[in-house]
Amino acid sequence: CRNNFVSALDPNTSYTQAIYRILRQDGAKHAFSGAIGESSSYAEVRPEGINRISVAIRETCEINTNDVFMDAGGGVGSTCWAFCQLLGLRGLSVEFDSNRVRASLEGAIKLLRAYPNDIKFNSDVLSTCFDLMNLERLPPEVTILYMYDAVFDPRLMNRMFDLISES
């Protein structure tokens, strides 16, 4: 069973590749337009990293389709979409930058159009714009909280730690 699971998490699956092609490439161009040199200052995990983290989540957490994966600092949404495909979870991508959320929503429309009748494609992912410093509590449905960025403000990290401790 474990070998079957690992092969099912191949980062080169058509879904993961489509997610990264549509959300990271198409969405990133839109989200970063106007940035200095048109380049990103955001650190985002690669598909191989998502694959390894997904395996670790499966091995250490009891998860099911009722669980919600929350990506705090979700950017253009590619990470949240990929994790939700690989783990079969619902997703919530929370981002402060409204341009990146708009790119995420535009990318989600493209993904849904790419897989309109594919019942295996998990479309239960929501992207929203919100300042996490103003979050009073974690949504009770969230069972996995993911944050990945070396430049997150320490105050934000402490705030998220407090929210986890309180939930």
Side-chain angles (χ1 to χ4, degrees):
C1 183
R2 178 178 263 196
N3 289 337
N4 290 340
F5 176 72
V6 171
S7 65
L9 289 177
D10 179 357
N12 294 317
T13 64
S14 62
Y15 293 143
T16 306
Q17 292 304 313
I19 288 166
Y20 270 77
R21 184 184 71 253
I22 292 172
L23 293 177
R24 289 278 310 279
Q25 293 173 2
D26 295 351
K29 289 176 191 170
H30 178 75
F32 302 134
S33 63
I36 297 172
E38 299 292 324
S39 63
S40 168
S41 63
Y42 297 97
E44 294 185 7
V45 67
R46 296 175 184 229
E48 305 82 40
I50 288 174
N51 188 43
R52 287 194 308 273
I53 295 167
S54 295
V55 170
I57 289 171
R58 283 271 188 206
E59 291 175 350
T60 59
C61 303
E62 293 182 26
I63 58 173
N64 62 55
T65 56
N66 293 321
D67 291 319
V68 174
F69 177 94
M70 179 177 164
D71 185 358
V76 296
S78 55
T79 300
C80 191
W81 276 92
F83 273 117
C84 290
Q85 294 307 310
L86 295 173
L87 297 171
L89 304 176
R90 297 177 292 156
L92 174 61
S93 178
V94 182
E95 172 59 42
F96 180 76
D97 183 337
S98 61
N99 287 328
R100 291 172 61 81
V101 173
R102 184 175 60 239
S104 175
L105 297 173
E106 290 170 358
I109 291 168
K110 290 179 183 179
L111 283 172
L112 296 173
R113 286 182 179 153
Y115 299 103
N117 300 314
D118 189 340
I119 60 171
K120 292 181 181 177
F121 184 75
N122 177 9
S123 62
D124 204 358
V125 178
L126 171 69
S127 292
T128 188
C129 185
F130 189 78
D131 183 351
L132 291 167
M133 290 298 288
N134 295 328
L135 191 63
E136 293 180 13
R137 65 181 173 84
L138 287 175
E141 302 81 11
V142 171
T143 51
I144 298 174
L145 174 64
Y146 175 84
M147 295 179 75
Y148 179 85
D149 199 326
V151 296
F152 275 142
D153 186 319
R155 292 174 296 171
L156 175 60
M157 300 303 287
N158 289 332
R159 177 68 186 133
M160 297 309 293
F161 177 79
D162 290 344
L163 290 172
I164 292 168
S165 298
E166 295 166 5
S167 59

